[in-house]
Amino acid sequence: FIYLFNSNITLGKNGVPVAENFRLEQSTIADTVQAGQVRVKTLYLSVDPYMRCRMNEDTGSDYLRPWQLSEVADGGGIGVVEESQHHNLAKGDFVTSFTWPWQTAAILDGDSLQKLEPQLVSGRLSFFLGAAGITGLTALLGIREKGHVAAGANQTMVVSGAAGACGSLAGQIGRLEGCSRVVGIAGTDEKCSILVQEMGFDAAINYKKGDVAKQLRELCPGGVDVYFDNVGGDISDTVISQMNQNSHIILCGQISQYNKDVPYPPPLPPDIEKIQKERNITRERFLVLNYMDKQEASVLQLCQWIQEGKLKVR
């Protein structure tokens, strides 16, 4: 079986991960499945930005455990049960976990797994790691809990990292929840085209071309009411400077800062912080795991939108 480990090469808080930080090893798993356990075959693994933080001894978060040197890496995963000694799981069941080991096969504690219903996503199981999983929940619950979106309020939403897994959903959900205008920021013309033509964004800005502040003013003439922030850094500073009084930042991620030794969320530059305070702009840390009491209903909502074609997924 193939395992993925961290190597003992020191990365540190400042630095970009490289292949040499990991290694592949072949090993075997136990022959016997104990009571309460299941043997699974791995079908899908999710590779996500937060994993960079797990390469630090201090992840900057109470809910994230750092990856340990020479231990199997883990994250969101989906597999199929091949043998079961668990009362609620049978051979052929599809299961998922947020701490799935990066290996082709494993013996896992059945209580740590959640059974999936493939019909909810028309058999597209990988959606349970994306649009109908933590990614979709982050977009939906972030907007509902921190965005203060109200139908008919004529609100403009801006999404950074808009072509990413979470951002592309957030813009669409912002529209479904009632925003009248949605503008995305992405890094290529192709991504911008997909956002507008496929995802229903009103407009998209390629931040690598032209004056972002100028384009933002033209595309959001009434200012910005809701900002779904995936990136932080200069892009976010530009957006915040054009936000309205009593507007809201959904602090989802700060990917531009993950290879730097800064606290999370990173502090704003003094001039931007002044704008935030003077305009009473909310900027609160958002952790989707704090809202798991709403998980079941929210996943069903996401699946319904996907089935109805209201939520486009790439």
Side-chain angles (χ1 to χ4, degrees):
F1 300 98
I2 306 298
Y3 293 70
L4 187 53
F5 286 73
N6 290 307
S7 78
N8 58 5
I9 295 174
T10 301
L11 176 66
K13 289 190 174 183
N14 291 300
V16 178
V18 293
E20 288 73 27
N21 294 124
F22 300 88
R23 72 174 183 264
L24 292 169
E25 289 196 359
Q26 187 162 319
S27 184
T28 59
I29 59 174
D31 294 329
T32 306
V33 178
Q34 302 293 332
Q37 294 181 328
V38 294
R39 179 164 55 86
V40 294
K41 176 185 177 183
T42 300
L43 299 177
Y44 298 98
L45 296 171
S46 186
V47 183
D48 303 285
Y50 79 86
M51 290 174 168
R52 174 60 183 86
C53 305
R54 298 191 66 189
M55 297 181 79
N56 299 331
E57 187 175 357
D58 177 7
T59 65
S61 175
D62 295 336
Y63 74 98
L64 283 181
R65 187 180 72 89
W67 279 335
Q68 300 298 307
L69 294 179
S70 294
E71 285 189 9
V72 183
D74 69 309
I78 290 173
V80 61
V81 175
E82 294 190 320
E83 183 181 348
S84 176
Q85 292 295 331
H86 188 272
H87 65 92
N88 196 39
L89 296 172
K91 182 178 180 180
D93 284 347
F94 296 104
V95 289
T96 186
S97 167
F98 192 61
T99 56
W100 195 282
W102 284 13
Q103 54 195 72
T104 57
I107 293 176
L108 303 175
D109 178 0
D111 287 342
S112 70
L113 303 172
Q114 179 183 352
K115 189 154 58 174
L116 298 173
E117 299 179 43
Q119 68 272 18
L120 290 176
V121 289
S122 302
R124 294 166 291 189
L125 282 169
S126 66
F127 282 18
F128 284 119
L129 292 181
I134 288 289
T135 311
L137 288 170
T138 300
L140 176 59
L141 292 171
I143 289 168
R144 287 184 171 174
E145 300 295 330
K146 299 294 184 182
H148 302 274
V149 173
N154 196 32
Q155 291 165 300
T156 293
M157 172 185 278
V158 170
V159 183
S160 58
C166 194
S168 62
L169 298 171
Q172 297 178 79
I173 292 170
R175 170 86 75 212
L176 290 166
E177 290 290 286
C179 286
S180 58
R181 186 164 184 77
V182 179
V183 175
I185 302 174
T188 70
D189 289 341
E190 180 188 13
K191 290 178 181 179
C192 290
S193 176
I194 289 168
L195 290 174
V196 175
Q197 294 179 16
E198 293 185 26
M199 307 289 186
F201 284 61
D202 291 286
I205 296 169
N206 181 347
Y207 70 87
K208 295 180 182 178
K209 285 187 175 180
D211 185 332
V212 174
K214 181 172 181 257
Q215 293 177 75
L216 205 57
R217 280 192 296 272
E218 292 170 353
L219 294 172
C220 307
V224 178
D225 301 295
V226 185
Y227 173 38
F228 199 99
D229 185 7
N230 286 304
V231 302
D234 294 342
I235 293 294
S236 290
D237 296 345
T238 300
V239 176
I240 294 169
S241 68
Q242 297 190 32
M243 294 187 74
N244 294 325
Q245 194 74 26
N246 302 319
S247 54
H248 304 282
I249 299 168
I250 302 164
L251 195 58
C252 177
Q254 302 281 278
I255 197 169
S256 70
Q257 308 299 302
Y258 288 171
N259 291 321
K260 302 175 184 176
D261 186 4
V262 294
Y264 187 89
L268 296 170
D271 56 329
I272 302 300
E273 186 178 16
K274 184 181 179 191
I275 289 172
Q276 182 210 344
K277 289 179 177 177
E278 288 178 348
R279 298 181 192 171
N280 192 35
I281 302 169
T282 64
R283 183 180 183 257
E284 301 165 346
R285 185 173 187 174
F286 170 72
L287 298 176
V288 69
L289 297 180
N290 289 343
Y291 301 93
M292 285 298 97
D293 59 315
K294 301 180 180 181
Q295 177 185 10
E296 187 174 349
S298 299
V299 167
L300 290 175
Q301 174 66 86
L302 291 164
C303 290
Q304 181 182 335
W305 281 337
I306 293 168
Q307 297 274 29
E308 293 171 349
K310 293 179 179 177
L311 200 57
K312 303 290 195 305
V313 184
R314 272 212 165 204

